[in-house]
Amino acid sequence: MSRLLFTFFLISCFSVYSQLKPIDHTAYDSWKRIERHTFSPKGNFVSYEIIPLKGDGFLYLYNNNTHKLDSFPRGKEAKWASDESFLVYTQTPGYDTLRKCELNKVAKSKWPKDSVFVVDLSNDTLLKLNKLKTFEVAEKGNVLAYLLDHNKLIENDPDKVKYKRLWYWPFKKVKVSSSTKRISSDGNRMVVWNAMDQIIFEANHVVSFKFSENGEHLAYIQHKNGKKDTLQMTIWNTNSKSEIHQFPKVQSQKLPFWSKDLSKIAFLSGNDTSEIKRMTLNVYTFLDMKTRVIGDTLEPEFDTRLAVSENRELLFTDNGKYLFFGVAEMKQKAEKDTLLESEKVNVDVWHYLDEKIQPQQLVELKEVKKYSDWYVLNFETDSVFQVSADSLRIRPKKNWEGDYLLALNPKPYRIESQWKSPSKDDVYRVSLKDGKTELIKKAVENSGNLSPSGRYYDYFDGKSVCHRLIDLENGKDMAIDCGSKNNYAEWLNGLPMLPDASSRHGFFRGEKLVIVATEFQVFAYDIANSQLLPLTQKLNPNNEMKLEWLTWESDSLFEDLSNVYIKGRNEKTKAESLFLLKNLEGDFLKIWSDDAKVNSVERSKDGAKFLFRKMTVTQYPDLWLMDADFKEIAKISTTNPQQAEYAWPGVTLVNWKTKSGESLEGLLYFPNQVAKGLQYPMLVYYYETMSENLHNYQSPRPSASTINPVEYASAGYFVFIPNIHYQAGKPGQSAFDCVVSGTDFITQNYPIDTKRLGLQGQSWGGYQTVQLITMTNKFAAAEAGAPVGNMTSAYGGIRWGTGINRQFQYESTQSRIGKNLWEGRDAYLANSPVFHLDKVTTPLLIMHNDKDGAVPWYQGIEIYTGMRRLGKPCWLLNYNDDDHNLTKLANKYDLSIRMRQFFDHYLMGKPAPLWMVKGIPALEKGKTMGYEIDF
């Protein structure tokens, strides 16, 4: 928005402002959000939820043909039958009901449970299923199964016929099978249902069940008590309503996985009754009704140490050629403990040659204990072999078509990865025919992709800044347009590391073409002719838009223009557009464009309808529906009508130059009412670059760590968000140059009171806040969330959430020093605010929490104790047991109130609250919040 438009906005708002409310924490509860929006399988309906911050939401069902909108109170998690004959959803007991249970300390086992409802669209009726433990709708089928919380009705007198009342209105009677023998079990009654027949099958003693993807087959496991408890799995056909196969009783049983063509299932079972159970893999073929058992110690692939792992999901490839499963060493039975707890040593030994330091090992210990190697069953050769190991990692894909997989070995570079990013891998190709591996390339910093056939490996070379392609049939390593004007690298913004590609894509079917892209153009590389085909040159001839190559179906193995759409963002206006490519010659169709931002686009399965969400600073991203002609049919949701009651601010994109002449962008939020002749306080918020968020809608919400520019601008502040461009080795000076030059530009061109300027930042922004107030006295107040204060101590610290050492952050990534502590001692000292706190004149509020998993909270303590020692105004908020960004809602409300009170005092001239004047002694913790002004 230009200054002229800003002036017009200033004049036009006076008439309505007096009727509007400023946004503060009292508005949070009324704001709602849309979640779980999706097309029905045939595209005739859209379902979505509107959920408040507190309280009960609604599930909505929009008919795309009749435009009728239905709502279901407290509904959530809608699941569709593939023919749209019914919709299943759960209904919560209600926010107030559950809150009352918690308040009265009712045991959770006695809380009311969710209800399940079936919307039968074939006759427009609603069925409530009471007392359910669980339910499942076949992913691509028309059948529902559910498990009741009892085990009644089947074992009854055979002369008596039981009927179940299914509906609340005239109902259909369903005869239930019976038996004379009573059996004790830990199972429950399972019911299978569809819209046409209603109840089509029932069974008792069921502990678990699972549909095949299309719902044609149902596997269920029954439990029976006895001298030895047994489990038995049955496969049932929902179409023929008949049993297909019942497997022998065993002591351990897992639900199966189906092959795509439904010809096979694979499952784990075992008859081992020992404490440490040995499982076997069973592959049952429906055609010959035979079971292949894998994992017995008599097999040559296994011994007494190895067993099939329960911790890997089984995975059939869609082409039916391979089955992947995990194998791990058998757990050994623990020896009887002969020591008292007081006699045991409890110590971590940190060795300087550990591949991973002890904290990382401890964080990962649970997953390491469950680790298993990948094995594969090759159905063509009926052979079993290992295809991965601890040092050689693979990622099997369900839709994989080739006979090779990519494998990475990070082991040689693990110690180095503590300080160097990106980390390196040795890259291998693994054969699924026999398990043999071949080295493709050593020390690859940005591991690439293996083509589906396994013939090509493409990767990005950060040193030459281009894509490369290796033909593994002849070993030829080809450079794709290296050294040309096309820049395929991501923008690092001063990060002292080699770049990765700006984006990564895949191969077209036939593997004659592979997609590579810059920020502004997409190319198809013709492998045979070593030629780049410009797919988007016609669409973006002047490189005015940044482009994203996106797919409708994200799990597609190959690139296909029918599965692709392109989103473009104009670099000057931030307006967004959507395009379809017609052909490889680059002809295109613009399907949508607006001075707004799109944050979700979905196409119905038949391609006839499009669902998208668009937003601006003043418009919540509601749902819009388009037809195949790309005309907007309807806005089908209205999420926050109460917004009309509030003084909603505006935003403008600003441009300025630093003292060195570099051009920068930023966002300036301004109040709904700006009176001529008055000057306003301004808050400056930043992270790295955020001007692309010009059209972002910011809902009023309690803060996890940062100010909400919409909230503060509504309350009479200007809020400035400058982009920051960095130089490696000079993070603090870079922030100073960009923030201060931008602030000077705003104060010279907008009605800002230069004595009422504030700073706020979180994490990396928190560091910059503290660093800036050591470099300038321009700001009257500052708040820093989770800041690093001392790079020398933080350098050797731990990110406790992952257990990894923080050295990489300073040498290779965000902190941008680019050297280790001993090579760059002066840079570490210059960019550590704790060494310069004596220069600070700005009152500082810090939030740093004792369970911060990213920045150790002693960093905030170092700043606080330094400010305290120097007698400078400083407050530290530590939300007990909370994280880097607040996770607990009550804490978010509290931070929002305190941060607003802090800035209102120093920048608005309001009285300081009790917590700022006197603090809150530990003795009063939890008894008083200290928000009050009069004391």
Side-chain angles (χ1 to χ4, degrees):
M1 188 184 294
S2 67
R3 290 189 63 203
L4 177 63
L5 288 176
F6 169 79
T7 303
F8 173 77
F9 190 89
L10 178 154
I11 297 169
S12 64
C13 293
F14 294 135
S15 60
V16 296
Y17 183 78
S18 60
Q19 303 171 14
L20 300 177
K21 300 182 289 187
I23 300 168
D24 61 15
H25 67 277
T26 62
Y28 299 157
D29 289 356
S30 66
W31 245 262
K32 305 174 188 69
R33 65 189 185 277
I34 291 179
E35 288 190 358
R36 301 186 186 96
H37 54 84
T38 188
F39 277 114
S40 61
K42 291 186 175 182
N44 292 311
F45 299 89
V46 172
S47 61
Y48 60 92
E49 297 170 30
I50 293 184
I51 303 171
L53 183 65
K54 292 181 180 178
D56 300 317
F58 278 81
L59 170 68
Y60 290 88
L61 185 61
Y62 181 83
N63 189 312
N64 299 334
N65 302 312
T66 66
H67 310 302
K68 179 184 175 183
L69 183 66
D70 287 324
S71 63
F72 305 95
R74 308 197 309 279
K76 63 177 183 177
E77 298 172 348
K79 297 180 180 179
W80 287 91
S82 63
D83 65 355
E84 299 182 355
S85 58
F86 65 86
L87 167 73
V88 184
Y89 69 90
T90 56
Q91 184 187 69
T92 68
Y95 177 84
D96 291 337
T97 299
L98 296 179
R99 186 179 183 277
K100 186 176 180 180
C101 289
E102 187 172 2
L103 191 64
N104 293 332
K105 295 182 170 52
V106 176
K108 279 204 171 184
S109 60
K110 297 182 179 180
W111 285 19
K113 304 296 189 294
D114 288 354
S115 301
V116 177
F117 285 81
V118 179
V119 183
D120 189 341
L121 298 168
S122 64
N123 57 20
D124 199 25
T125 55
L126 188 67
L127 164 66
K128 182 179 182 181
L129 305 176
N130 289 307
K131 298 183 178 180
L132 262 62
K133 288 179 69 70
T134 186
F135 75 93
E136 180 183 342
V137 178
E139 185 178 347
K140 296 181 180 178
N142 310 314
V143 62
L144 159 72
Y146 53 89
L147 207 60
L148 298 168
D149 68 352
H150 57 78
N151 195 25
K152 302 174 183 176
L153 243 166
I154 289 184
E155 282 97 34
N156 290 296
D157 188 324
D159 296 326
K160 293 181 180 180
V161 177
K162 294 287 184 179
Y163 296 95
K164 179 178 184 293
R165 182 165 182 167
L166 189 62
W167 304 96
Y168 292 125
W169 44 85
F171 57 91
K172 189 175 183 178
K173 293 183 178 180
V174 181
K175 185 174 180 178
V176 181
S177 62
S178 60
S179 168
T180 57
K181 185 180 178 182
R182 287 194 172 275
I183 300 171
S184 173
S185 82
D186 293 337
N188 294 81
R189 181 171 171 231
M190 179 189 70
V191 179
V192 184
W193 185 95
N194 67 22
M196 180 179 294
D197 302 307
Q198 298 181 22
I199 292 179
I200 59 175
F201 178 65
E202 295 175 284
N204 273 9
H205 315 300
V206 176
V207 291
S208 57
F209 60 87
K210 183 179 181 180
F211 282 115
S212 61
E213 186 179 54
N214 67 355
E216 182 180 339
H217 292 161
L218 173 70
Y220 62 94
I221 297 173
Q222 292 173 295
H223 173 264
K224 296 180 182 178
N225 284 328
K227 291 183 178 179
K228 290 184 178 180
D229 286 6
T230 59
L231 295 166
Q232 187 168 37
M233 185 169 70
T234 303
I235 308 297
W236 202 72
N237 189 298
T238 60
N239 292 338
S240 64
K241 302 178 180 62
S242 61
E243 181 182 298
I244 296 176
H245 188 77
Q246 190 169 59
F247 293 91
K249 297 176 182 178
V250 291
Q251 266 68 55
S252 302
Q253 181 73 72
K254 301 291 185 181
L255 287 166
F257 292 80
W258 274 265
S259 62
K260 186 175 182 179
D261 62 3
L262 299 181
S263 66
K264 304 180 187 72
I265 59 171
F267 59 92
L268 302 182
S269 66
N271 269 315
D272 195 338
T273 58
S274 61
E275 181 182 346
I276 307 297
K277 292 182 172 59
R278 185 182 194 95
M279 304 294 282
T280 58
L281 170 64
N282 304 268
V283 182
Y284 177 80
T285 305
F286 288 95
L287 183 61
D288 59 14
M289 301 179 67
K290 292 182 178 179
T291 302
R292 165 90 147 86
V293 180
I294 299 169
D296 193 283
T297 55
L298 298 177
E299 290 190 277
E301 297 84 2
F302 293 84
D303 58 29
T304 55
R305 297 176 303 107
L306 298 179
V308 177
S309 173
E310 299 180 72
N311 299 318
R312 289 269 195 211
E313 281 200 345
L314 308 178
L315 188 149
F316 282 102
T317 55
D318 286 346
N319 61 11
K321 293 175 67 174
Y322 304 107
L323 170 65
F324 292 93
F325 61 99
V327 172
E329 288 194 12
M330 282 281 291
K331 294 179 181 178
Q332 300 300 314
K333 186 176 180 180
E335 295 183 7
K336 186 176 180 180
D337 200 343
T338 61
L339 293 176
L340 300 172
E341 286 299 316
S342 61
E343 296 172 330
K344 294 177 183 177
V345 176
N346 192 12
V347 60
D348 300 326
V349 178
W350 298 38
H351 193 284
Y352 75 105
L353 292 180
D354 283 344
E355 288 183 5
K356 297 179 179 180
I357 60 175
Q358 281 289 318
Q360 185 177 0
Q361 293 181 44
L362 293 172
V363 168
E364 297 175 357
L365 187 59
K366 185 177 180 181
E367 291 303 313
V368 168
K369 287 181 176 179
K370 296 194 300 183
Y371 174 80
S372 59
D373 293 319
W374 280 110
Y375 276 57
V376 70
L377 168 59
N378 184 322
F379 288 107
E380 292 183 343
T381 61
D382 193 35
S383 56
V384 174
F385 43 83
Q386 183 176 348
V387 288
S388 81
D390 177 53
S391 60
L392 200 64
R393 301 299 178 95
I394 66 168
R395 290 184 180 177
K397 296 180 181 179
K398 186 174 184 290
N399 61 350
W400 201 246
E401 294 186 2
D403 296 317
Y404 299 92
L405 283 180
L406 192 69
L408 304 177
N409 181 11
K411 187 178 178 66
Y413 314 103
R414 278 189 177 139
I415 293 180
E416 176 188 280
S417 69
Q418 294 176 53
W419 60 82
K420 185 174 177 58
S421 184
S423 57
K424 298 174 184 174
D425 296 287
D426 292 340
V427 181
Y428 293 80
R429 184 174 72 164
V430 180
S431 171
L432 299 179
K433 298 176 182 179
D434 53 20
K436 292 181 179 178
T437 63
E438 58 181 301
L439 177 67
I440 297 175
K441 191 171 180 63
K442 292 182 73 67
V444 177
E445 290 187 301
N446 296 301
S447 58
N449 303 300
L450 191 68
S451 67
S453 73
R455 174 174 177 176
Y456 298 103
Y457 171 68
D458 79 292
Y459 67 103
F460 187 79
D461 185 351
K463 294 177 182 177
S464 60
V465 197
C466 73
H467 292 271
R468 300 190 70 90
L469 189 70
I470 300 177
D471 186 337
L472 298 175
E473 284 191 0
N474 56 34
K476 184 179 179 182
D477 192 337
M478 297 169 277
I480 299 178
D481 202 26
C482 290
S484 76
K485 63 180 181 180
N486 297 322
N487 182 8
Y488 299 106
E490 62 181 332
W491 180 51
L492 292 176
N493 194 10
L495 295 176
M497 59 189 287
L498 289 177
D500 195 359
S502 61
S503 59
R504 288 185 177 273
H505 305 292
F507 291 79
F508 280 82
R509 187 171 287 279
E511 299 186 1
K512 295 180 179 179
L513 301 173
V514 61
I515 294 294
V516 295
T518 71
E519 284 188 305
F520 301 96
Q521 296 291 340
V522 181
F523 302 89
Y525 181 67
D526 184 335
I527 299 173
N529 298 309
S530 301
Q531 181 182 2
L532 281 170
L533 308 177
L535 298 184
T536 55
Q537 183 61 42
K538 296 177 183 178
L539 184 156
N540 195 26
N542 299 315
N543 289 344
E544 293 178 345
M545 294 182 293
K546 285 188 176 179
L547 302 181
E548 287 185 76
W549 177 275
L550 302 166
T551 56
W552 300 114
E553 301 293 336
S554 60
D555 61 351
S556 177
L557 185 61
F558 292 98
E559 300 288 352
D560 186 335
L561 293 187
S562 65
N563 187 43
V564 169
Y565 69 99
I566 294 174
K567 182 165 75 171
R569 186 182 73 231
N570 186 288
E571 280 296 274
K572 292 182 179 180
T573 66
K574 313 306 177 187
E576 293 192 343
S577 304
L578 301 176
F579 304 90
L580 298 179
L581 280 181
K582 295 181 177 180
N583 49 48
L584 292 175
E585 286 70 43
D587 296 318
F588 67 93
L589 175 67
K590 181 187 285 188
I591 62 175
W592 179 85
S593 185
D594 198 355
D595 195 22
K597 183 173 183 176
V598 175
N599 69 337
S600 176
V601 187
E602 184 178 349
R603 183 176 67 178
S604 61
K605 296 291 185 183
D606 61 3
K609 298 179 183 69
F610 297 83
L611 183 67
F612 72 101
R613 299 177 69 181
K614 65 175 182 177
M615 63 178 170
T616 68
V617 71
T618 60
Q619 295 179 344
Y620 180 83
D622 274 302
L623 290 165
W624 292 77
L625 196 63
M626 288 195 302
D627 60 17
D629 295 327
F630 310 112
K631 297 176 181 177
E632 293 182 7
I633 300 175
K635 175 173 173 284
I636 64 173
S637 68
T638 302
T639 307
N640 288 299
Q642 79 284 356
Q643 180 179 318
E645 303 171 11
Y646 289 87
W648 207 262
V651 65
T652 185
L653 186 68
V654 294
N655 298 271
W656 75 97
K657 289 186 177 181
T658 65
K659 289 183 179 180
S660 64
E662 184 176 12
S663 296
L664 292 176
E665 288 183 334
L667 304 179
L668 182 65
Y669 289 81
F670 49 87
N672 182 281
Q673 179 189 26
V674 180
K676 287 185 177 181
L678 291 183
Q679 290 188 314
Y680 292 83
M682 184 174 77
L683 281 169
V684 185
Y685 168 75
Y686 32 75
Y687 194 74
E688 293 198 358
T689 61
M690 302 183 72
S691 61
E692 66 273 13
N693 296 331
L694 174 67
H695 298 302
N696 278 22
Y697 181 90
Q698 306 267 7
S699 293
R701 63 192 183 279
S703 174
S705 56
T706 65
I707 61 169
N708 184 330
V710 166
E711 176 181 339
Y712 278 80
S714 174
Y717 289 84
F718 277 67
V719 181
F720 176 45
I721 306 178
N723 285 355
I724 301 177
H725 292 184
Y726 297 93
Q727 287 182 279
K730 299 180 178 180
Q733 188 63 49
S734 298
F736 177 86
D737 292 343
C738 298
V739 172
V740 171
S741 64
T743 300
D744 289 344
F745 173 81
I746 299 299
T747 57
Q748 291 164 14
N749 290 278
Y750 295 87
I752 307 299
D753 186 343
T754 58
K755 294 182 179 180
R756 293 192 289 157
L757 302 176
L759 293 174
Q760 199 277 323
Q762 162 70 11
S763 190
W764 178 237
Y767 155 72
Q768 291 171 109
T769 295
V770 185
Q771 180 70 8
L772 282 167
I773 62 174
T774 70
M775 302 173 75
T776 177
N777 60 4
K778 185 182 291 288
F779 300 96
E783 193 277 345
V788 165
N790 184 349
M791 287 194 178
T792 67
S793 59
Y795 173 82
I798 304 296
R799 294 177 69 97
W800 293 107
T802 57
I804 63 177
N805 184 266
R806 292 179 54 85
Q807 292 172 352
F808 77 95
Q809 183 138 354
Y810 301 91
E811 295 191 41
S812 299
T813 63
Q814 191 175 54
S815 297
R816 293 176 170 87
I817 298 299
K819 297 178 180 179
N820 67 40
L821 178 61
W822 304 274
E823 294 170 339
R825 182 182 292 108
D826 290 344
Y828 281 87
L829 293 173
N831 288 282
S832 295
V834 292
F835 297 111
H836 314 287
L837 292 178
D838 56 320
K839 302 173 185 176
V840 172
T841 61
T842 305
L844 177 64
L845 173 64
I846 303 168
M847 179 198 78
H848 214 151
N849 307 315
D850 50 26
K851 293 299 181 182
D852 192 321
V855 179
W857 82 302
Y858 57 71
Q859 287 293 312
I861 293 173
E862 286 192 48
I863 299 167
Y864 164 79
T865 56
M867 292 282 284
R868 184 173 184 272
R869 172 63 181 84
L870 293 167
K872 300 175 184 293
C874 184
W875 297 259
L876 172 63
L877 304 176
N878 167 31
Y879 292 95
N880 301 160
D881 297 318
D882 218 329
D883 208 336
H884 187 63
N885 294 291
L886 294 175
T887 59
K888 300 174 184 177
L889 189 57
N891 292 344
K892 293 179 181 180
Y893 273 90
D894 185 80
L895 175 64
S896 300
I897 293 169
R898 294 190 196 280
M899 196 153 52
R900 180 73 169 268
Q901 288 184 326
F902 174 77
F903 283 123
D904 279 356
H905 171 63
Y906 282 109
L907 305 186
M908 287 286 193
K910 294 185 179 180
L914 177 63
W915 69 268
M916 286 182 64
V917 176
K918 296 183 178 181
I920 300 178
L923 190 63
E924 296 299 314
K925 180 178 175 180
K927 300 176 183 178
T928 179
M929 304 307 293
Y931 299 150
E932 59 269 27
I933 303 298
D934 296 322
F935 45 84

